[in-house]
Each structure stands twice: as structure tokens, then as C-alpha cells.
Amino acid sequence: MGTALVFDEEMTRYKLLWFDPACVIETPERLTVSHEALVRTGLAARCVPTPVREASDDDILLVHSKEYLEAVKKTPYMTLDDLKEFTLNYGDVYFHPNIYHCAKLAVGAALQLVDAVMTGKVRNGMALVRPPGHHSMRSAASGFCVFNNVAIAAKYAQQKYAVQRVLIVDWDIHHGQGVQYAFEDDPSVLYFSWHRYEHQEFWPKLRDSDYDCVGKDKGAGFTINVPWNKIGMQNSDYLAVFCHVLLPVAYEFCPDLVLVCAGFDSAIGDPEGEMCATPDIFAHLTHLLMNLAGGKLCAVLEGGYNLTSLSQSVCLTVQSLLGDPPPRPTDLQGPCQSALESIQCVRSAHRKYWSCLQHAVQRPPSDVSTKLEAHGEARVSKADLVWPQPARHLPPALCTAAVIPEDLLCPLGCFRIPREQDVAVSTWSSLAALVGRLQRNEIRNGLALVSDVSMAMAHVFGHTPKQRVLAVCVGDTEALPGLPEDGKTLTVHFSKEALDKPRCKYYIPVCLKKGLMQAACSLLLPLSYQYDPDLVLLTRVPGSHMDQSEWQQLVGLLQGLAGGHVLVLIQEGEKALVGPTASSLSGSPASSPGPLSAPGAEDIEALERLKYRLTTDWKLLQTSGEC
Ligand code: X5A
Ligand code: ZN
């Protein structure tokens, strides 16, 4: 199942016609360079081209008032002076005789994308649109936005396809107040936004954008605002918010559809955002959302005003949507003090609404937080505004290799590593061949059914002496091989039975009954990202409490590491998992664990205690600053 790309050149045909310093950055080139970059990199050709359409009045009225729609309808016939005067009704926006037409196409593009995804024509997709939408309100244009493309798309999906829960992730650097207002009392739409805030000094300077605005009435808890109070936020800060706030809540919410307000003014070099996260991070943010809602994800362009960083970020987003492994993450030193304060504040404001955030440890050991360097700065220097050109990567042609017995059908999307005659040595030599092909990047990932996982692990370690291996073990086993404790492997062991205390920084036992997705998001992901392995070794032995969908989610999430190089070892008793594992490894969306997998108090407390103990060594695990 493919990726839709919705685009039409017509949306480049309006521009600012008078002098307005607040609006000069919103140019037609934003769209042309983004689209050209997708064509130049060959990404556009891999997508399913999807035409735009004009949204109907009824579509627009799903969010906007009749009066406002009628007013905008008159703008194509206005003189320049009329347009200027009309513009004065609103903040930081401009009108043009062709903007109404483009605004209808921008909404229509988002709806075409929803149609393509919901009818199963594609798995996911991106719409490149102008004007953006997330600032526009029921009866007002705002911040370059005329109609609220994404808010309309959410209502449309609910109405036309009986979608129940929609998650809207707004990673644009501005607060999409229009989206927030459209759903503030609606528990069926979870709106998440991070935004430059600077204690209400930054546009749109609303009290409503702070962390304690959580939604109203039945919708309380379904608005999540993460204010950035300093500029210069980096990859670590963005990832920390995903791991410790968005993802745990998203898994608990269990959306049927994910919409992204995909603004790239949150990337380095942007004159509005002044943040320092690199375009690479969007490959990861996208990847991390791609297994929610059975993979149904629609990204709709919002802001982004540095043409270089915008077009690179668009490419990296689409690359992930297409299923390519994200590039290795760069400089993850852990979140800065200001980001930690925001994270702590959001988590405590939402504690009463989400069980994954309850029972959190309130106070950090002060030496951990004070030792941290702050990169969130008052000013970002010019020297910090250079970033490397994203590597031109080619995913290996063959994706998933399997070492499985002859009598087992090779799962769809996999190819079998041939075995030698001698049964006794054949598994080991095939496994060695598989590891070699992974190391040479000839294949992306692999799967082996083995009779003894511990021996197989030891065997793999023997063939990867120079590599950093992240070993994730699932199930109750006493007999893990003597693991090297020199930092060449990091082992995280999930079990329902009590395990040893951590022996060293590189062995982390996790004992939980439920709440496995929460542990995957807020413990395993931060550890893994910070460790930055060359290879992920995921093993499964019998006696595990992790169900099939949680397992598939794990397989999906871990493919964001090590350039996608994941090797899964399954012990013979767990044969039933071969098919579902192969399916996730070859890029199919994981099934959803369902809203009932929410963790209990005991598990969350245990998890928080463990995280707390490990924060000194692993900064990305931190969730509190000095509020
Ligand atoms: C969509 C978007 C920004 C408006 C900034 C106004 N709008 N100062 O990024
Ligand atoms: Zn923006």
C-alpha cells in the first residue's frame, strides 16, 4: 500500500501584493521548492499522485461560519484597496484575488488525502498546500491561514467514514489555536501542539496556548499544549516530548486516524521558529506516528519559511511515509532545562486525564538537573545555523531476510536464506550469513526462528565484535548469554517475572504486567535513541505477556534505529509470531493494541522508579526540570 502525494501548482498562484513585513515570508516558492525537491530526489515518482479538488461550501461549513465563508467569497472581486481593508480585520494574514480559490483547493487537497487513506487506496500521504490552515478560526483568518484545512479534514473523516477518534499532531512551531478552538470541548479529537511561546511573548501571544489549557468540559484532557519558552530547541527536546508526552498518550487514546499539521518552521534555519532541530528529526517524528491507527496518517503542510530547511524536511517526512528507514539520529545529548520544565508541566497538568502520566515521580534528584547544560538559549548564534545536508540514502533493494525451517512457508515480503544440508550447523551458518548481509547493508532487516535464543544471541554477538548492538529481549528467560558489559551492547529485558537489579548501565531489566506500550515509548525509545545502535537485536522467548499487536508495535518502533537494521530472533515455541513479525519487518503497519492496554498504577510506578534511577546515565529519560 502506497503513499499519496497531493499537490497542484495552482496553489502557488497568489502572493502578497503590498508591503507587510509580517507576511513577506509566506511566498509561492515555499510550495515550488518543496515539490521540486520531491521530484529531484525521486520521492515524488514513488508516491501515488493524487489530484486536488475544490472543497464545497458544506465542507468548509464543517468548521467555519456562514458569515465568514460569505465574506471570503467576495474577495476575488475586490480591488486592491478593498483587499487591504478586508485584511485589517484579521492578524498577520493577507488576501489576494486568487486566495479564495487556493484556500478551497487546500481544504480539498486535505480531503482528497483523507479519502485516499480511508478508502484504502493508499496507506498514508502528504498534501503540499497553500494557504496553510491551523490558525484560522470559525469566523476569522489568521497567521497566513484562511480555512482550517486539518480541522475540516478531521470533521470530514468523522462524518463520512464514521472515524471515531482522530489524533491531530501539530508540529508546526506556532500554536494552531484554530484547531484547538474547533475541538476544545470534543473528546473524540485529541489535539497535540508544541509551539514557541516564550511565556506568552511569541505570536499569537495567547494565554490559551500554555500547558495548563487542556480543553473544556467533556474535552478536558484532549488538548495538549507544549510551550517552548526558549528558542534553540534541538532534536533531543523534540524527541523527549514525543517519548514522554505525545506517544504514551497517543497509545492510550488509540486513534483511528492520525492527521499531522506538518509545519516545518520548527526546523533549524527558520526565521520564525529560531529552533535548532535538524530536518532529519522529521523522518523520526513521522516514523514514530506511522504505526498508530493501523498506519492511517495524513500530513498536511502548514508553515516553514526557510526554503532549504523546508524542502529537506518535506523530503524526509515523505521518505518515512514511503517506508524508508530514518537516517541515524544526530547529537542526542538529552533535553535542555527549559524543555524539561515544559515537559514536567505538561505531564502534571495532564496527570488526571491519562493513566500513563499518573504516579509520575514528582521531583528529580537535583544533581541530575543542575548538571545539565542548557542549550535553550535567549539567542541562537549564526554559527549554530549550519547543518549538514541530509545524506542521500538508498534503502537496500531487498528488505527482509528469513532463516526459517523448510516446512514453514516463507512469509510474504521476505526471502529465505538458503540452508546447507547439515541440519546441525545450517541454522548457525544461515544466521551468520544473515548478519553479514545486514552489516554490508545488502538487506535491511531479518528474522530467524531458532531452537535456543540465548545461543543464537551469543552467536550474533560473536559476529558483531565491532558493532554497538541494542538487544531487546521479551519473555521470561533466566538464561541470557553472558553479555558483554563493555558498552558494546545495551540490553533491555522485558519480563513479567521479577528480574535481577540492573547490574550495570548496559543491562536494564523491566518487569511489568501491563503498560508495555508505555514502557516502549518512555523507557525503551529514549534509551535506544541515546545509545544509537548499529544493529537492533530483538528476541522473543515463550512465557511473554506481550500480545501480538504490542509486539508488532515494538518491531515497528525499533525500525527507527540503526538505519532500520533490526534482526529478530524467535524461539521455536513462538512460531505463531513469525508471520506477524515478518509483516511488520517488511513495512506493513502494526495492528493497534487497543485502548484497553492502558497500564495500572503499580506498573507505572515501577516504570517511573526505574526511569528515575537510570536518568543519571541516560539523559533522554528525564522528565522533570526545576519548575
Ligand atoms: C502557518 C504559519 C505563521 C504566522 C506567523 C505570523 N503561520 N507572525 O506558520
Ligand atoms: Zn507556523
mmCIF file with all atom_site columns, all heavy atoms in Angstrom, residues 135-152:
data_model
loop_
_atom_site.group_PDB
_atom_site.id
_atom_site.type_symbol
_atom_site.label_atom_id
_atom_site.label_alt_id
_atom_site.label_comp_id
_atom_site.label_asym_id
_atom_site.label_entity_id
_atom_site.label_seq_id
_atom_site.pdbx_PDB_ins_code
_atom_site.Cartn_x
_atom_site.Cartn_y
_atom_site.Cartn_z
_atom_site.occupancy
_atom_site.B_iso_or_equiv
_atom_site.pdbx_formal_charge
_atom_site.auth_seq_id
_atom_site.auth_comp_id
_atom_site.auth_asym_id
_atom_site.auth_atom_id
_atom_site.pdbx_PDB_model_num
ATOM 1   N N   . HIS A 1 135 ? -4.190  28.202 11.903 1.00 0.00 ? 135 HIS A N   1
ATOM 2   C CA  . HIS A 1 135 ? -4.540  29.394 12.695 1.00 0.00 ? 135 HIS A CA  1
ATOM 3   C C   . HIS A 1 135 ? -5.953  29.905 12.435 1.00 0.00 ? 135 HIS A C   1
ATOM 4   O O   . HIS A 1 135 ? -6.467  30.704 13.213 1.00 0.00 ? 135 HIS A O   1
ATOM 5   C CB  . HIS A 1 135 ? -3.559  30.538 12.396 1.00 0.00 ? 135 HIS A CB  1
ATOM 6   C CG  . HIS A 1 135 ? -2.149  30.232 12.791 1.00 0.00 ? 135 HIS A CG  1
ATOM 7   N ND1 . HIS A 1 135 ? -1.806  29.874 14.081 1.00 0.00 ? 135 HIS A ND1 1
ATOM 8   C CD2 . HIS A 1 135 ? -0.993  30.215 12.078 1.00 0.00 ? 135 HIS A CD2 1
ATOM 9   C CE1 . HIS A 1 135 ? -0.488  29.652 14.132 1.00 0.00 ? 135 HIS A CE1 1
ATOM 10  N NE2 . HIS A 1 135 ? 0.022   29.849 12.931 1.00 0.00 ? 135 HIS A NE2 1
ATOM 11  N N   . SER A 1 136 ? -6.559  29.492 11.348 1.00 0.00 ? 136 SER A N   1
ATOM 12  C CA  . SER A 1 136 ? -7.851  30.093 11.012 1.00 0.00 ? 136 SER A CA  1
ATOM 13  C C   . SER A 1 136 ? -8.935  29.549 11.926 1.00 0.00 ? 136 SER A C   1
ATOM 14  O O   . SER A 1 136 ? -8.944  28.378 12.304 1.00 0.00 ? 136 SER A O   1
ATOM 15  C CB  . SER A 1 136 ? -8.183  29.870 9.544  1.00 0.00 ? 136 SER A CB  1
ATOM 16  O OG  . SER A 1 136 ? -8.408  28.508 9.307  1.00 0.00 ? 136 SER A OG  1
ATOM 17  N N   . MET A 1 137 ? -9.838  30.442 12.280 1.00 0.00 ? 137 MET A N   1
ATOM 18  C CA  . MET A 1 137 ? -10.870 30.121 13.263 1.00 0.00 ? 137 MET A CA  1
ATOM 19  C C   . MET A 1 137 ? -12.243 30.150 12.624 1.00 0.00 ? 137 MET A C   1
ATOM 20  O O   . MET A 1 137 ? -12.381 30.467 11.445 1.00 0.00 ? 137 MET A O   1
ATOM 21  C CB  . MET A 1 137 ? -10.759 31.098 14.433 1.00 0.00 ? 137 MET A CB  1
ATOM 22  C CG  . MET A 1 137 ? -9.490  30.849 15.244 1.00 0.00 ? 137 MET A CG  1
ATOM 23  S SD  . MET A 1 137 ? -8.953  32.241 16.257 1.00 0.00 ? 137 MET A SD  1
ATOM 24  C CE  . MET A 1 137 ? -8.082  33.246 15.068 1.00 0.00 ? 137 MET A CE  1
ATOM 25  N N   . ARG A 1 138 ? -13.248 29.829 13.415 1.00 0.00 ? 138 ARG A N   1
ATOM 26  C CA  . ARG A 1 138 ? -14.613 29.708 12.880 1.00 0.00 ? 138 ARG A CA  1
ATOM 27  C C   . ARG A 1 138 ? -14.992 30.912 12.007 1.00 0.00 ? 138 ARG A C   1
ATOM 28  O O   . ARG A 1 138 ? -15.510 30.762 10.913 1.00 0.00 ? 138 ARG A O   1
ATOM 29  C CB  . ARG A 1 138 ? -15.593 29.582 14.053 1.00 0.00 ? 138 ARG A CB  1
ATOM 30  C CG  . ARG A 1 138 ? -17.005 29.347 13.636 1.00 0.00 ? 138 ARG A CG  1
ATOM 31  C CD  . ARG A 1 138 ? -17.915 29.058 14.825 1.00 0.00 ? 138 ARG A CD  1
ATOM 32  N NE  . ARG A 1 138 ? -19.267 29.543 14.553 1.00 0.00 ? 138 ARG A NE  1
ATOM 33  C CZ  . ARG A 1 138 ? -20.109 28.929 13.742 1.00 0.00 ? 138 ARG A CZ  1
ATOM 34  N NH1 . ARG A 1 138 ? -19.764 27.809 13.136 1.00 0.00 ? 138 ARG A NH1 1
ATOM 35  N NH2 . ARG A 1 138 ? -21.306 29.437 13.531 1.00 0.00 ? 138 ARG A NH2 1
ATOM 36  N N   . SER A 1 139 ? -14.673 32.095 12.494 1.00 0.00 ? 139 SER A N   1
ATOM 37  C CA  . SER A 1 139 ? -15.052 33.301 11.746 1.00 0.00 ? 139 SER A CA  1
ATOM 38  C C   . SER A 1 139 ? -13.881 34.240 11.529 1.00 0.00 ? 139 SER A C   1
ATOM 39  O O   . SER A 1 139 ? -14.067 35.454 11.483 1.00 0.00 ? 139 SER A O   1
ATOM 40  C CB  . SER A 1 139 ? -16.178 34.039 12.482 1.00 0.00 ? 139 SER A CB  1
ATOM 41  O OG  . SER A 1 139 ? -17.333 33.243 12.502 1.00 0.00 ? 139 SER A OG  1
ATOM 42  N N   . ALA A 1 140 ? -12.694 33.698 11.407 1.00 0.00 ? 140 ALA A N   1
ATOM 43  C CA  . ALA A 1 140 ? -11.553 34.599 11.218 1.00 0.00 ? 140 ALA A CA  1
ATOM 44  C C   . ALA A 1 140 ? -10.374 33.934 10.533 1.00 0.00 ? 140 ALA A C   1
ATOM 45  O O   . ALA A 1 140 ? -10.023 32.794 10.823 1.00 0.00 ? 140 ALA A O   1
ATOM 46  C CB  . ALA A 1 140 ? -11.102 35.147 12.578 1.00 0.00 ? 140 ALA A CB  1
ATOM 47  N N   . ALA A 1 141 ? -9.779  34.697 9.614  1.00 0.00 ? 141 ALA A N   1
ATOM 48  C CA  . ALA A 1 141 ? -8.480  34.321 9.060  1.00 0.00 ? 141 ALA A CA  1
ATOM 49  C C   . ALA A 1 141 ? -7.418  34.721 10.076 1.00 0.00 ? 141 ALA A C   1
ATOM 50  O O   . ALA A 1 141 ? -7.662  35.577 10.923 1.00 0.00 ? 141 ALA A O   1
ATOM 51  C CB  . ALA A 1 141 ? -8.233  35.038 7.743  1.00 0.00 ? 141 ALA A CB  1
ATOM 52  N N   . SER A 1 142 ? -6.239  34.099 9.998  1.00 0.00 ? 142 SER A N   1
ATOM 53  C CA  . SER A 1 142 ? -5.177  34.427 10.940 1.00 0.00 ? 142 SER A CA  1
ATOM 54  C C   . SER A 1 142 ? -3.882  33.770 10.496 1.00 0.00 ? 142 SER A C   1
ATOM 55  O O   . SER A 1 142 ? -3.904  32.659 9.948  1.00 0.00 ? 142 SER A O   1
ATOM 56  C CB  . SER A 1 142 ? -5.567  33.914 12.340 1.00 0.00 ? 142 SER A CB  1
ATOM 57  O OG  . SER A 1 142 ? -4.467  33.968 13.225 1.00 0.00 ? 142 SER A OG  1
ATOM 58  N N   . GLY A 1 143 ? -2.753  34.456 10.717 1.00 0.00 ? 143 GLY A N   1
ATOM 59  C CA  . GLY A 1 143 ? -1.445  33.831 10.507 1.00 0.00 ? 143 GLY A CA  1
ATOM 60  C C   . GLY A 1 143 ? -1.289  33.110 9.172  1.00 0.00 ? 143 GLY A C   1
ATOM 61  O O   . GLY A 1 143 ? -0.882  31.947 9.157  1.00 0.00 ? 143 GLY A O   1
ATOM 62  N N   . PHE A 1 144 ? -1.592  33.791 8.074  1.00 0.00 ? 144 PHE A N   1
ATOM 63  C CA  . PHE A 1 144 ? -1.485  33.267 6.697  1.00 0.00 ? 144 PHE A CA  1
ATOM 64  C C   . PHE A 1 144 ? -2.561  32.242 6.363  1.00 0.00 ? 144 PHE A C   1
ATOM 65  O O   . PHE A 1 144 ? -2.575  31.683 5.269  1.00 0.00 ? 144 PHE A O   1
ATOM 66  C CB  . PHE A 1 144 ? -0.109  32.621 6.397  1.00 0.00 ? 144 PHE A CB  1
ATOM 67  C CG  . PHE A 1 144 ? 1.095   33.374 6.889  1.00 0.00 ? 144 PHE A CG  1
ATOM 68  C CD1 . PHE A 1 144 ? 2.262   32.696 7.258  1.00 0.00 ? 144 PHE A CD1 1
ATOM 69  C CD2 . PHE A 1 144 ? 1.094   34.769 6.965  1.00 0.00 ? 144 PHE A CD2 1
ATOM 70  C CE1 . PHE A 1 144 ? 3.382   33.393 7.708  1.00 0.00 ? 144 PHE A CE1 1
ATOM 71  C CE2 . PHE A 1 144 ? 2.213   35.473 7.411  1.00 0.00 ? 144 PHE A CE2 1
ATOM 72  C CZ  . PHE A 1 144 ? 3.348   34.778 7.792  1.00 0.00 ? 144 PHE A CZ  1
ATOM 73  N N   . CYS A 1 145 ? -3.454  31.931 7.303  1.00 0.00 ? 145 CYS A N   1
ATOM 74  C CA  . CYS A 1 145 ? -4.428  30.862 7.102  1.00 0.00 ? 145 CYS A CA  1
ATOM 75  C C   . CYS A 1 145 ? -5.820  31.416 6.801  1.00 0.00 ? 145 CYS A C   1
ATOM 76  O O   . CYS A 1 145 ? -6.265  32.383 7.439  1.00 0.00 ? 145 CYS A O   1
ATOM 77  C CB  . CYS A 1 145 ? -4.521  29.985 8.348  1.00 0.00 ? 145 CYS A CB  1
ATOM 78  S SG  . CYS A 1 145 ? -2.932  29.286 8.843  1.00 0.00 ? 145 CYS A SG  1
ATOM 79  N N   . VAL A 1 146 ? -6.523  30.793 5.872  1.00 0.00 ? 146 VAL A N   1
ATOM 80  C CA  . VAL A 1 146 ? -7.872  31.237 5.508  1.00 0.00 ? 146 VAL A CA  1
ATOM 81  C C   . VAL A 1 146 ? -8.922  30.233 6.006  1.00 0.00 ? 146 VAL A C   1
ATOM 82  O O   . VAL A 1 146 ? -9.817  30.580 6.765  1.00 0.00 ? 146 VAL A O   1
ATOM 83  C CB  . VAL A 1 146 ? -7.982  31.453 3.984  1.00 0.00 ? 146 VAL A CB  1
ATOM 84  C CG1 . VAL A 1 146 ? -9.418  31.820 3.590  1.00 0.00 ? 146 VAL A CG1 1
ATOM 85  C CG2 . VAL A 1 146 ? -7.018  32.562 3.549  1.00 0.00 ? 146 VAL A CG2 1
ATOM 86  N N   . PHE A 1 147 ? -8.798  28.988 5.575  1.00 0.00 ? 147 PHE A N   1
ATOM 87  C CA  . PHE A 1 147 ? -9.680  27.932 6.091  1.00 0.00 ? 147 PHE A CA  1
ATOM 88  C C   . PHE A 1 147 ? -8.825  26.893 6.819  1.00 0.00 ? 147 PHE A C   1
ATOM 89  O O   . PHE A 1 147 ? -7.680  26.658 6.455  1.00 0.00 ? 147 PHE A O   1
ATOM 90  C CB  . PHE A 1 147 ? -10.446 27.238 4.953  1.00 0.00 ? 147 PHE A CB  1
ATOM 91  C CG  . PHE A 1 147 ? -11.349 28.159 4.183  1.00 0.00 ? 147 PHE A CG  1
ATOM 92  C CD1 . PHE A 1 147 ? -11.363 28.118 2.784  1.00 0.00 ? 147 PHE A CD1 1
ATOM 93  C CD2 . PHE A 1 147 ? -12.184 29.069 4.833  1.00 0.00 ? 147 PHE A CD2 1
ATOM 94  C CE1 . PHE A 1 147 ? -12.201 28.968 2.063  1.00 0.00 ? 147 PHE A CE1 1
ATOM 95  C CE2 . PHE A 1 147 ? -13.017 29.923 4.111  1.00 0.00 ? 147 PHE A CE2 1
ATOM 96  C CZ  . PHE A 1 147 ? -13.021 29.875 2.721  1.00 0.00 ? 147 PHE A CZ  1
ATOM 97  N N   . ASN A 1 148 ? -9.436  26.270 7.815  1.00 0.00 ? 148 ASN A N   1
ATOM 98  C CA  . ASN A 1 148 ? -8.664  25.343 8.638  1.00 0.00 ? 148 ASN A CA  1
ATOM 99  C C   . ASN A 1 148 ? -8.633  23.944 8.022  1.00 0.00 ? 148 ASN A C   1
ATOM 100 O O   . ASN A 1 148 ? -9.437  23.063 8.361  1.00 0.00 ? 148 ASN A O   1
ATOM 101 C CB  . ASN A 1 148 ? -9.224  25.317 10.063 1.00 0.00 ? 148 ASN A CB  1
ATOM 102 C CG  . ASN A 1 148 ? -8.160  24.863 11.047 1.00 0.00 ? 148 ASN A CG  1
ATOM 103 O OD1 . ASN A 1 148 ? -7.516  23.837 10.818 1.00 0.00 ? 148 ASN A OD1 1
ATOM 104 N ND2 . ASN A 1 148 ? -7.958  25.622 12.112 1.00 0.00 ? 148 ASN A ND2 1
ATOM 105 N N   . ASN A 1 149 ? -7.669  23.739 7.129  1.00 0.00 ? 149 ASN A N   1
ATOM 106 C CA  . ASN A 1 149 ? -7.587  22.503 6.336  1.00 0.00 ? 149 ASN A CA  1
ATOM 107 C C   . ASN A 1 149 ? -7.678  21.240 7.197  1.00 0.00 ? 149 ASN A C   1
ATOM 108 O O   . ASN A 1 149 ? -8.450  20.329 6.904  1.00 0.00 ? 149 ASN A O   1
ATOM 109 C CB  . ASN A 1 149 ? -6.267  22.480 5.546  1.00 0.00 ? 149 ASN A CB  1
ATOM 110 C CG  . ASN A 1 149 ? -6.036  23.782 4.781  1.00 0.00 ? 149 ASN A CG  1
ATOM 111 O OD1 . ASN A 1 149 ? -6.971  24.339 4.217  1.00 0.00 ? 149 ASN A OD1 1
ATOM 112 N ND2 . ASN A 1 149 ? -4.801  24.270 4.772  1.00 0.00 ? 149 ASN A ND2 1
ATOM 113 N N   . VAL A 1 150 ? -6.874  21.189 8.238  1.00 0.00 ? 150 VAL A N   1
ATOM 114 C CA  . VAL A 1 150 ? -6.797  19.962 9.042  1.00 0.00 ? 150 VAL A CA  1
ATOM 115 C C   . VAL A 1 150 ? -8.029  19.787 9.934  1.00 0.00 ? 150 VAL A C   1
ATOM 116 O O   . VAL A 1 150 ? -8.547  18.675 10.074 1.00 0.00 ? 150 VAL A O   1
ATOM 117 C CB  . VAL A 1 150 ? -5.483  19.923 9.861  1.00 0.00 ? 150 VAL A CB  1
ATOM 118 C CG1 . VAL A 1 150 ? -5.513  18.829 10.919 1.00 0.00 ? 150 VAL A CG1 1
ATOM 119 C CG2 . VAL A 1 150 ? -4.293  19.706 8.911  1.00 0.00 ? 150 VAL A CG2 1
ATOM 120 N N   . ALA A 1 151 ? -8.521  20.871 10.508 1.00 0.00 ? 151 ALA A N   1
ATOM 121 C CA  . ALA A 1 151 ? -9.730  20.744 11.347 1.00 0.00 ? 151 ALA A CA  1
ATOM 122 C C   . ALA A 1 151 ? -10.898 20.267 10.490 1.00 0.00 ? 151 ALA A C   1
ATOM 123 O O   . ALA A 1 151 ? -11.669 19.391 10.908 1.00 0.00 ? 151 ALA A O   1
ATOM 124 C CB  . ALA A 1 151 ? -10.057 22.088 12.007 1.00 0.00 ? 151 ALA A CB  1
ATOM 125 N N   . ILE A 1 152 ? -11.009 20.801 9.290  1.00 0.00 ? 152 ILE A N   1
ATOM 126 C CA  . ILE A 1 152 ? -12.082 20.363 8.393  1.00 0.00 ? 152 ILE A CA  1
ATOM 127 C C   . ILE A 1 152 ? -11.887 18.886 8.034  1.00 0.00 ? 152 ILE A C   1
ATOM 128 O O   . ILE A 1 152 ? -12.842 18.094 8.044  1.00 0.00 ? 152 ILE A O   1
ATOM 129 C CB  . ILE A 1 152 ? -12.140 21.243 7.124  1.00 0.00 ? 152 ILE A CB  1
ATOM 130 C CG1 . ILE A 1 152 ? -12.526 22.685 7.491  1.00 0.00 ? 152 ILE A CG1 1
ATOM 131 C CG2 . ILE A 1 152 ? -13.153 20.676 6.115  1.00 0.00 ? 152 ILE A CG2 1
ATOM 132 C CD1 . ILE A 1 152 ? -12.366 23.701 6.362  1.00 0.00 ? 152 ILE A CD1 1
#
